[in-house]
Amino acid sequence: MKTYGLIGKNISYSFSRSYFSDKFSQLKIDAEYVNFDLQNIEQLYSVLKETPNLGGLNVTIPYKEQVIPFLTNLDPIAKEIGAVNTIKLDNKGALTGYNTDYYGFQESLRPHLKDYHKKALILGTGGASKAIAYTLQKLNIDHTSVSRSAKDGQITYSDLDKEVLADHLLIINCTPLGTFPDVETYPPIPVEFLTPNHLLYDLIYNPKITQLMKLTMNANGQVTNGEKMLELQAEKAWEIWNK
């Protein structure tokens, strides 16, 4: 029996495990999907050593960037993005890193885009945000990253005002703020300046409607969560593992 799994930290609840377990059951695939909850990335060595018939891994917070030095090869797109969320193992033990987040985000975003979504704010600067920035660049959507601290090429939440929000009608939340169980939290953006023309894409999928999504809906803006993105990136990972 093949084993697939997710490496991350504090991942007792994971989309990937339930998604792939259901997939294996429905298609009668002799495989299992395991959560490998690692306190540090060095524990990946133990996972590789102690898991027989390991077919592939997904990678989530906080290891999408930290895992790269442990890989044998890096797919060109993952290299350009600078983050990995899928690992393929070959029969010689070589590890190749891929990024399927960009595909999942791109294909789930397209149906919601309007002509006036020309500029975007990316909330957060972690591993997931890198795939988002890559995708927006490919879609010719200008983007600005927002972080708690000032750095070159990004702004802080305190820089956000009515003018900035009016100029950026696409907002992508790449932070974990609002994730279960802390469902009342949200990134500190000035929500009073949200409008019906705003599209909020919240990468969070639990809960299905986050506090930031509710506030955007109160302003009659469009919202979508990260569930479709996760489904699409998971199917792309499955494709990679089996090619």
Side-chain angles (χ1 to χ4, degrees):
M1 182 171 66
K2 282 261 191 182
T3 296
Y4 300 89
L6 174 70
I7 62 171
K9 191 172 185 179
N10 303 325
I11 52 171
S12 57
Y13 179 92
S14 91
F15 168 89
S16 298
R17 183 171 63 180
S18 58
Y19 185 83
F20 280 109
S21 295
D22 288 346
K23 181 182 182 72
F24 297 157
S25 176
Q26 291 169 10
L27 299 180
K28 295 181 170 54
I29 296 170
D30 188 19
E32 65 174 349
Y33 195 96
V34 179
N35 279 354
F36 297 105
D37 207 321
L38 311 184
Q39 291 309 298
N40 59 72
I41 190 60
E42 284 76 18
Q43 290 178 313
L44 175 60
Y45 288 126
S46 297
V47 171
L48 297 172
K49 184 178 179 181
E50 298 169 9
T51 311
N53 297 319
L54 188 60
L57 291 167
N58 293 123
V59 185
T60 190
I61 295 171
Y63 301 129
K64 292 185 179 186
E65 296 159 290
Q66 294 180 37
V67 76
I68 291 175
F70 293 78
L71 304 176
T72 314
N73 307 296
L74 202 55
D75 175 76
I77 292 175
K79 185 175 184 179
E80 187 173 349
I81 292 171
V84 163
N85 76 312
T86 300
I87 300 172
K88 182 177 182 177
L89 292 82
D90 69 15
N91 53 17
K92 296 180 181 177
L95 308 178
T96 302
Y98 296 83
N99 191 300
T100 66
D101 279 337
Y102 91 91
Y103 172 81
F105 176 66
Q106 175 180 278
E107 296 308 307
S108 58
L109 175 66
R110 283 186 194 275
H112 301 281
L113 288 175
K114 301 289 193 296
D115 290 342
Y116 48 78
H117 292 134
K118 302 292 187 185
K119 292 184 179 180
L121 294 174
I122 302 176
L123 310 182
T125 55
S129 70
K130 293 192 168 187
I132 303 311
Y134 174 87
T135 305
L136 293 176
Q137 183 179 341
K138 295 297 180 184
L139 293 173
N140 295 314
I141 297 174
D142 290 339
H143 58 275
T144 300
S145 295
V146 187
S147 178
R148 288 172 294 184
S149 55
K151 292 180 183 175
D152 286 344
Q154 62 191 46
I155 62 175
T156 67
Y157 289 100
S158 61
D159 293 320
L160 300 178
D161 56 20
K162 184 175 183 178
E163 184 178 351
V164 173
L165 260 67
D167 198 38
H168 296 79
L169 296 176
L170 173 59
I171 301 173
I172 304 103
N173 179 31
C174 298
T175 80
L177 293 172
T179 306
F180 179 85
D182 300 317
V183 296
E184 298 301 318
T185 62
Y186 61 94
I189 72 168
V191 295
E192 65 271 22
F193 301 133
L194 292 170
T195 70
N197 286 337
H198 277 98
L199 167 60
L200 169 71
Y201 192 124
D202 201 323
L203 266 60
I204 293 170
Y205 63 94
N206 181 26
K208 290 183 181 293
I209 300 178
T210 65
Q211 183 68 11
L212 188 55
M213 289 171 68
K214 289 177 184 175
L215 292 167
T216 306
M217 291 162 67
N218 287 345
N220 294 315
Q222 300 176 72
V223 299
T224 187
N225 65 20
E227 191 167 33
K228 188 64 178 178
M229 171 182 170
L230 286 168
E231 292 174 0
L232 289 165
Q233 66 83 19
E235 285 303 314
K236 182 62 74 171
W238 182 244
E239 182 183 310
I240 288 168
W241 292 334
N242 288 281
K243 69 179 181 181

